Amino acid sequence: MSKKSESRGKQFRWSKPMERVLLEVLADEVKIGNRPNNTFRTSSFNRVSSVIFEKFNIECSSDHVEHHLRTVKTAWGIIAQLRDKSGFGWDDNMKMIIASPTVYTEHVQAHPTHEKYLNKKIEMYEEIALVVNKDRAKGNFAKSFNDVDLDIEPINSDADIAIEDISKDKNAGKQSASSSETFAQPRRHRKRGRDTHDEESDIKTISEKLGQVADAITRLTWDRLDVQALHDELMKMEGFDEAFLGEAFDYLVEHERLGKAFMAKSINLRRIWLEDFSSHKF
């Protein structure tokens, strides 16, 4: 019995290679203008069916294609939600949603099915975005790793400038107060009350700014890959040849973002990554 006959009457299952074909064909259909009014024609679905049969000798109806497109759209909804969620970052070069170890662990415990979208490259991201007719990760979504759960300005000299400006304002206020004491003694009591209020406001502003700086420094510290820790964790992985682990180590150091993502994974996820690396060598 042929594979074509076997596939009839059974639940259709999409493999990764088949899903890749679906995305490639539908993305091409979009590019050549075969999606009027943001809706694919049946002819586009039929084209996917034909290519799948040619490549895999498996019968795939247009209904199967249309149904799986809904699954792709659902996955995109989760990706978009996570990408825009506070506490998560977006690496537009790697096409990867990034979360710190703490955020990753807490979120996966609450939403186990989201694990496959975090700290790993989203395969065929551009094709998915094109097929579901959504803007690609630019503008508001194009956040770098340093932006993870960080809602303040980038750390440069901004905090110092702000503090310096506050200090200047305070000095100017003191000079003004001195002049008032010399030439307007009757208003001294009211001026003192206003200065006290200003000083309290200044102290609060400085405290908030320093808190933001300290928080940002903490996150930037995690942003740096601890090469020694990565090596130690890799060498703890059982069932792998030392030479292979050394090769994986070199690769993760060279691709630092993947190295940081590896360190954020659980033992089981690290093992899965190593097995994939062994099979594909990226």
Side-chain angles (χ1 to χ4, degrees), residues 24-44 47 130-131 133:
E24 289 175 345
V25 173
L26 291 184
D28 185 61
E29 288 289 288
V30 174
K31 293 176 183 177
I32 62 180
N34 287 342
R35 187 180 59 183
N37 301 321
N38 295 326
T39 303
F40 285 105
R41 295 190 178 102
T42 301
S43 59
S44 297
R47 182 185 169 194
L130 189 61
V131 167
N133 192 31

Side-chain angles (χ1 to χ4, degrees), residues 216-263:
I217 289 174
T218 299
R219 284 167 171 76
L220 287 175
T221 299
W222 190 82
D223 188 33
R224 293 192 296 269
L225 175 64
D226 188 332
V227 177
Q228 185 60 52
L230 173 64
H231 180 271
D232 294 342
E233 292 300 315
L234 273 170
M235 294 305 155
K236 292 178 183 177
M237 299 300 297
E238 298 179 354
F240 297 98
D241 181 77
E242 183 176 4
F244 166 73
L245 292 176
E247 184 178 355
F249 171 74
D250 293 339
Y251 181 87
L252 290 173
V253 171
E254 182 179 355
H255 299 80
E256 185 175 357
R257 293 185 184 279
L258 288 179
K260 288 179 287 194
F262 181 87
M263 292 294 288

Side-chain angles (χ1 to χ4, degrees), residues 61-269:
S61 70
S62 61
D63 289 339
H64 290 144
V65 177
E66 186 175 6
H67 179 75
H68 195 66
L69 179 58
R70 297 193 194 103
T71 302
V72 172
K73 290 181 177 179
T74 300
W76 175 266
I78 297 173
I79 292 170
Q81 181 184 27
L82 292 174
R83 193 179 57 182
D84 195 34
K85 186 178 177 64
S86 177
F88 294 85
W90 172 252
D91 187 329
D92 197 43
N93 293 322
M94 294 296 298
K95 299 296 181 287
M96 182 166 63
I97 300 169
I98 304 173
S100 67
T102 301
V103 173
Y104 175 89
T105 301
E106 291 178 353
H107 187 82
V108 170
Q109 287 177 348
H111 308 279
T113 59
H114 292 182
E115 184 177 33
K116 60 185 176 182
Y117 301 113
L118 300 175
N119 291 340
K120 54 177 65 68
K121 182 179 179 180
I122 299 174
E123 298 294 336
M124 301 196 72
Y125 175 87
E126 294 289 346
E127 288 79 3
I128 297 174
L130 189 61
V131 167
V132 301
N133 192 31
K134 300 296 182 181
D135 293 334
R136 299 169 198 179
K138 305 231 182 250
N140 293 336
F141 292 123
K143 297 189 291 184
S144 68
F145 186 84
N146 288 345
D147 296 321
V148 178
D149 198 23
L150 189 58
D151 298 324
I152 64 173
E153 294 296 322
I155 297 178
N156 41 38
S157 59
D158 291 350
D160 295 334
I161 292 172
I163 295 173
E164 182 179 352
D165 289 342
I166 293 171
S167 178
K168 290 180 180 178
D169 290 341
K170 289 174 64 178
N171 290 334
K174 290 180 180 179
Q175 292 176 359
S176 176
S178 177
S179 298
S180 298
E181 289 173 357
T182 303
F183 299 104
Q185 290 294 334
R187 306 175 91 181
R188 180 176 180 181
H189 177 73
R190 188 169 61 182
K191 183 66 177 178
R192 180 183 298 172
R194 188 161 58 250
D195 284 346
T196 301
H197 175 75
D198 291 343
E199 288 179 0
E200 291 176 352
S201 178
D202 292 343
I203 292 172
K204 181 179 179 181
T205 301
I206 293 173
S207 177
E208 291 175 350
K209 181 64 69 174
L210 290 177
Q212 291 173 340
V213 172
D215 185 54
I217 289 174
T218 299
R219 284 167 171 76
L220 287 175
T221 299
W222 190 82
D223 188 33
R224 293 192 296 269
L225 175 64
D226 188 332
V227 177
Q228 185 60 52
L230 173 64
H231 180 271
D232 294 342
E233 292 300 315
L234 273 170
M235 294 305 155
K236 292 178 183 177
M237 299 300 297
E238 298 179 354
F240 297 98
D241 181 77
E242 183 176 4
F244 166 73
L245 292 176
E247 184 178 355
F249 171 74
D250 293 339
Y251 181 87
L252 290 173
V253 171
E254 182 179 355
H255 299 80
E256 185 175 357
R257 293 185 184 279
L258 288 179
K260 288 179 287 194
F262 181 87
M263 292 294 288
K265 295 178 186 293
S266 65
I267 296 297
N268 288 336
L269 289 178

Side-chain angles (χ1 to χ4, degrees), residues 244 247 251 272-282:
F244 166 73
E247 184 178 355
Y251 181 87
I272 291 173
W273 186 92
L274 287 170
E275 290 172 350
D276 288 343
F277 179 74
S278 177
S279 299
H280 304 99
K281 294 295 180 65
F282 291 82

